[in-house]
Amino acid sequence: CGLPGLINRYSFSILLIHWAALHVIVKDFLHINVMSGGVVWGCLVMIVLTLLFSLVGGMIIELVLVQPLQRALAACVRWGKRITPTAG
C-alpha cells in the first residue's frame, strides 16, 4: 500500500482539507512560509507538511464522517427497497 496508496485512497478528503492544512496549520500555527530557510527549502517543507497534515486530516474525515454516512445511506437504500412493492 504505502504512501501513494494512502494518498490515492483518501484523495478526495485530502482535497477537501488541504487549504486549511496549508494556511491554518502550516502558515499560521507553525509559522512556516516560503522564505523559511530559503525559497527552495521553505517550499519543500511547506509541501511535505501540508501533505502530511492533509493526509491525517483526510483520514480522520473519511473514517469519522464519510464512511458512517455511506453506511447510513446504504442502509436507507436497502430499507427503501424492502418496503417498496415490486411491479409484477
Side-chain angles (χ1 to χ4, degrees):
C1 186
L3 184 61
L6 286 174
I7 292 171
N8 184 44
R9 180 174 177 178
Y10 299 108
S11 61
F12 183 70
S13 297
I14 291 170
L15 179 67
L16 290 175
I17 200 170
H18 82 279
W19 184 88
L22 173 62
H23 290 283
V24 175
I25 298 172
V26 175
K27 284 186 173 180
D28 295 341
F29 185 71
L30 297 176
H31 303 290
I32 296 174
N33 59 38
V34 177
M35 299 307 291
S36 299
V39 175
V40 174
W41 179 250
C43 285
L44 288 174
V45 169
M46 286 181 71
I47 289 168
V48 169
L49 288 176
T50 301
L51 178 60
L52 176 70
F53 289 120
S54 297
L55 180 59
V56 170
M59 292 170 75
I60 291 169
I61 288 172
E62 182 79 21
L63 296 172
V64 172
L65 185 65
V66 174
Q67 288 181 3
L69 287 174
Q70 286 176 335
R71 285 192 295 272
L73 181 61
C76 289
V77 168
R78 284 192 305 275
W79 180 77
K81 287 181 180 179
R82 197 175 71 223
I83 64 168
T84 304
T86 58

